[in-house]
DNA sequence: CGGAATCCTAAGTGATACTG
DNA sequence: CAGTATCACTTAGGATTCCG
């Protein structure tokens, strides 16, 4: 019996698209990926991520901690020191982020070219 | 000759993290992934993506068209018909999106578990 | 039907001040 | 240092209305 499904490659796209909402936020992936470099302290991480406000980093880290993606370790020193590190789960997701980031990196020139062509085409 | 680089696995995380900003938006990936099912018309795509407003779908599609990720074909019928389809570049990125979406799908239960544990732990 | 225009709310940022 | 809190401002996004 022959299947009606024409392409076995795209599975259920809508379901997948729906799951993407989960990480479809501006800072989750950049934060996780930045932590791949090793455990980091708050402001250190803030610089690594780049462009994130202190408030958003706090929120993002709380959320990631809640989901078991990062651990938060407080060293009772003066001044206090807080270290954030990836869990196995977080590292696993960060790896996906790397793959995605590298895709962008590899195709940025092409995309920029398309963009320029589009812009100059629509203005003329 | 041996390299000084200790870990070849995480490359330059900050640079990668920075590139992620490019697609770090709520709708780009879900829209691309939804289009993996084949060319679709506007409202059809709107339903497939799910939860997106008309305005945001319009904006997202314009942006994707500009970047050469999707093509926009207008059929001069009454009422007008507009079809959106992935380019090779768009399909390539959508595949990355699928990988990410499937990761979430595969780990959702674990994440939900972590979340519940965290919540019940912090309230007690 | 596809989408532009308008209005309006919520989310996010920068800056600053304050606490442990 | 690592936050929390607040305010003014800008941006993202939803809802609604209207048009070809």
């Amino acid at each position: 019996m022959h299947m009606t499904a024409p392409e076995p490659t795209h599975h259920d796209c809508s379901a997948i698209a729906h799951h993407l909402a989960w990480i479809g936020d501006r800072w989750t992936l950049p934060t996780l990926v930045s932590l791949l470099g090793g455990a980091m302290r708050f402001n250190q991480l803030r610089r690594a991520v780049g462009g994130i406000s202190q408030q958003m980093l706090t929120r993002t880290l709380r959320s990631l901690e809640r989901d078991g993606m990062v651990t938060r370790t407080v060293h009772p020193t003066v001044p206090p020191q807080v270290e954030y590190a990836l869990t196995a789960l977080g590292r696993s997701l960060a790896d996906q982020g790397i793959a995605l980031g590298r895709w962008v990196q590899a195709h940025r020139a092409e995309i920029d070219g398309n963009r320029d062509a589009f812009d100059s085409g629509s203005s003329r």
Side-chain angles (χ1 to χ4, degrees), chain A residues 13 21-22 33-34 44 62 73 75 89 91 104 106 109-110 113 119:
Chain A
C13 305
W22 225 87
V33 165
S34 295
Q44 190 181 2
R62 286 272 180 284
T73 313
H75 297 101
L89 184 64
R91 187 155 36 248
V104 175
E110 182 178 356
D119 288 348

Side-chain angles (χ1 to χ4, degrees), chain A residues 50-106:
Chain A
I52 189 174
S53 69
Q54 176 255 17
Q55 179 177 126
M56 281 314 292
L57 182 55
T58 300
R59 278 190 212 170
T60 303
L61 285 171
R62 286 272 180 284
S63 170
L64 288 173
E65 188 191 359
R66 192 164 95 109
D67 295 341
M69 302 281 185
V70 307
T71 58
R72 179 176 184 270
T73 313
V74 182
H75 297 101
T77 61
V78 177
Q81 233 174 278
V82 183
E83 283 220 328
Y84 294 92
L86 291 176
T87 62
L89 184 64
R91 187 155 36 248
S92 163
L93 180 51
D95 286 341
Q96 296 289 326
I98 287 281
L100 215 107
R102 279 152 82 70
W103 187 96
V104 175
Q105 198 171 40

Side-chain angles (χ1 to χ4, degrees), chain A residues 3-13 16:
Chain A
M3 299 294 196
T4 44
E7 303 245 338
T9 49
H10 56 67
H11 322 279
D12 188 344
C13 305
I16 302 280

